Amino acid sequence: MTDPDDRTPAGLQPWQATVAPIAIAMLGMLGPFSIDTPYPSFAHLQTEFAVDATVTQQLVSSYLLAFAAMSIFHGPISDAVGRRPVMLVSLLAYSVASIAAIFAPSIGVLIFCRVLQGLSAGGGVIISRTMIRDLYHGADAQRLMSRVMMIFGLAPALAPIIGGWLATVGSWRLIFGFLGGLGLLLVGVVIVALPESHPVERRTPLSIRALLGSMAGVVRTARFHRVTWAGAFLFGAYFLYIGSAAIVVVDLLGQGETDFWKLFLPMIAGFMAGAFVSGRTAGRLSRNRGVAIGIAIQLGAAALGVVLMLAPALRTLPWAVIAPAILGFGVSLAFPPIQLAVVDMFPKARGAATSIAAFLTLALNALTAGLLAPVITSSLLAMAIAVLGFTILGALFWVWHLRVDHQVDRQ
C-alpha cells in the first residue's frame, strides 16, 4: 500500500512534492521573521531616536495592522489572477520596503516602512496557506499543514537570535537589510519550487464586483465567524507572548538583547512537538477531536501559568516559560485543523476565505500588540491572566460552533 504522504499531488513533479512543504513553510516564516528579528534592536532604536518602549512597540503594531488590512485582498486577487503572480509582486514590494527602511532618518519614517512591509508580506504568507488546500485534500492536507507549521515554528526562535547577532555586529539597519535579502530569496523560491496551483478554469472574474461578492459571501457566513474567532483567540493567547516579547524578555525577565531565545526556544519546542503530533494523528483522529484535545491542553497550560505567576518567587526563569511552552503544544494541535475547516467551507473561494480569516486573526494580534501589550506587561501575572482570558474565549467560540452544527445535523 502507498503511504498517503508519498503520493504526488496533481500539478507537482515528484521533486516539487518533496520541496513544496519546505517552500511553503519558508513563505510562512516571513511573518514571524518580520515581527521578531527587529526585537533585539529596540533598545538601540530608543537611544538613537530618543523614544520610549511604547513608541518602538508601534513597529510591531503598525506592521500587523497593515498586514491585516491588505490581507483582505491578497486571497481574492489570487482567486482571480492565480497564486504565483500575487506572491511574486508582494515579495518584491516587501524587499523594496525593507531596503528603504535601512535609510530611515527618523522613527516616523521607519514606522512608515514597516507599514509598507506589512502591506506586502501577506502575499507570500497568506497565499502559501491557500496553496496547501489547492494541492492536498483531507488527511493529506492536515499532514502538510502540520509539517509546514513545524518548519514555520522555527522562525520565532531563530529570528530574535539572528536579530540579536546582527544588532551586535552591526546595527538595526543591518537587520532590515537581512529582511530585504530574505524577501529576494523567497522570490527565487517561488519561481523555482512552486507551480501555479490555481488553474485558469477555476479562477473568478477579475472585477471589483466579483472580488467584493466573494468576500461578502464569506463574511455573511455565521459558521465562518464562529470557527475563525475560535482560532483567532486560541492563537492570540500564544501570540500575546510573541507580540510582547521585547517587554517580557528585557523588562520583566531582566534579560539582554541576545537572550530572546530563553523565551522563544521553549515556546517553539512545544509548538513544533504539537505540530508533529497533529501530523501523525491526521486521518486517525477526527478533526473535532483533535481540536478539542488541543484546546484542553491550552486551557490547562494557561491556568498553570496563572497559578505559577501568583508566587512572586516564580516570576523568573525557568518558571515563567513553562506555561508558554505547553501552550505552544496545545495551539499547534488545534490551529491546523481549524484553518483547514475555514478553507473547506468555501471550495470556490479559498483565497477569500483564507484572507478574511487571516485579517481577523491579524487585526486581533495587532490590537493586542499595540493596545493591550503595554497594559498587560505590567507584570508576568497580568500576562498570564490575559492569556487565560484569550484561551477561554477561543474555547467558547469552538463550543458554540459545535453546538450549532449539532443542532443543524439533528434537523
Side-chain angles (χ1 to χ4, degrees):
M1 179 177 290
T2 302
D3 189 297
D5 289 351
D6 295 331
R7 292 197 297 265
T8 301
L12 289 184
Q13 299 296 323
W15 69 270
Q16 288 176 317
T18 301
V19 302
I22 300 173
I24 292 173
M26 288 179 66
L27 289 163
M29 289 169 75
L30 185 63
F33 261 99
S34 299
I35 297 169
D36 299 338
T37 309
Y39 276 148
S41 67
F42 278 16
H44 297 285
L45 287 166
Q46 291 164 19
T47 300
E48 180 171 337
F49 294 123
V51 296
D52 59 19
T54 302
V55 176
T56 51
Q57 188 67 20
Q58 303 316 307
L59 292 170
V60 179
S61 59
S62 61
Y63 167 86
L64 288 171
L65 283 171
F67 191 119
M70 190 61 194
S71 68
I72 299 176
F73 303 102
H74 287 305
I77 293 172
S78 78
D79 285 339
V81 303
R83 312 301 187 204
R84 274 167 56 97
V86 176
M87 288 194 291
L88 290 172
V89 171
S90 298
L91 290 168
L92 285 170
Y94 176 88
S95 299
V96 171
S98 301
I99 294 169
I102 299 173
F103 305 99
S106 66
I107 193 69
V109 174
L110 184 57
I111 290 175
F112 176 73
C113 291
R114 290 288 281 171
V115 170
L116 296 180
Q117 280 187 316
L119 291 173
S120 53
V125 176
I126 293 171
I127 305 305
S128 62
R129 297 177 190 171
T130 308
M131 291 186 76
I132 293 175
R133 196 58 187 83
D134 286 342
L135 298 170
Y136 295 83
H137 307 281
D140 288 345
Q142 184 173 331
R143 289 188 189 96
L144 179 59
M145 182 72 78
S146 298
R147 287 179 180 176
V148 167
M149 290 192 72
M150 285 181 66
I151 303 170
F152 161 86
L154 290 171
L158 293 176
I161 295 173
I162 294 173
W165 179 77
L166 292 173
T168 300
V169 302
S171 72
W172 61 268
R173 300 180 192 275
L174 188 59
I175 290 174
F176 286 96
F178 165 78
L179 293 176
L182 178 61
L184 292 175
L185 172 64
L186 292 175
V187 170
V189 168
V190 172
I191 292 173
V192 173
L194 293 178
E196 178 57 62
S197 64
H198 191 54
V200 175
E201 62 271 17
R202 295 183 185 174
R203 295 179 189 175
T204 58
L206 182 57
S207 68
I208 298 297
R209 182 175 182 179
L211 293 177
L212 293 178
S214 66
M215 293 164 63
V218 173
V219 172
R220 287 198 298 262
T221 304
R223 187 168 182 259
F224 165 83
H225 284 283
R226 290 191 292 271
V227 177
T228 296
W229 283 112
F233 278 107
L234 290 171
F235 188 81
Y238 181 74
F239 185 82
L240 280 171
Y241 287 104
I242 297 174
S244 307
I247 299 174
V248 171
V249 172
V250 177
D251 297 339
L252 298 182
L253 293 175
Q255 303 297 303
E257 62 188 22
T258 59
D259 294 325
F260 281 78
W261 65 271
K262 295 179 182 179
L263 171 66
F264 284 119
L265 193 59
M267 289 179 64
I268 300 311
F271 188 91
M272 293 181 67
F276 174 79
V277 172
S278 177
R280 297 297 296 178
T281 57
R284 306 174 187 174
L285 202 63
S286 71
R287 178 179 290 174
N288 288 347
R289 185 175 294 274
V291 173
I293 293 173
I295 290 176
I297 293 172
Q298 194 169 341
L299 282 168
L304 175 64
V306 173
V307 171
L308 290 175
M309 294 304 101
L310 282 170
L314 300 182
R315 296 173 192 170
T316 184
L317 296 172
W319 305 104
V321 299
I322 292 175
I326 304 173
L327 196 79
F329 184 89
V331 75
S332 63
L333 272 180
F335 201 59
I338 287 177
Q339 287 184 304
L340 292 172
V342 168
V343 177
D344 284 348
M345 292 181 201
F346 307 94
K348 295 183 180 180
R350 290 171 182 159
T354 305
S355 275
I356 296 172
F359 167 75
L360 296 176
T361 302
L362 290 163
L364 177 65
N365 290 344
L367 293 173
T368 296
L371 300 178
L372 187 59
V375 176
I376 64 172
T377 50
S378 59
S379 71
L380 290 169
L381 176 59
M383 281 281 297
I385 292 172
V387 167
L388 178 59
F390 269 50
T391 305
I392 290 173
L393 284 172
L396 290 175
F397 270 105
W398 184 253
V399 170
W400 184 17
H401 159 67
L402 293 180
R403 291 191 63 179
V404 172
D405 269 13
H406 180 66
Q407 291 172 356
V408 171
D409 290 341
R410 291 180 61 185
Q411 293 175 357

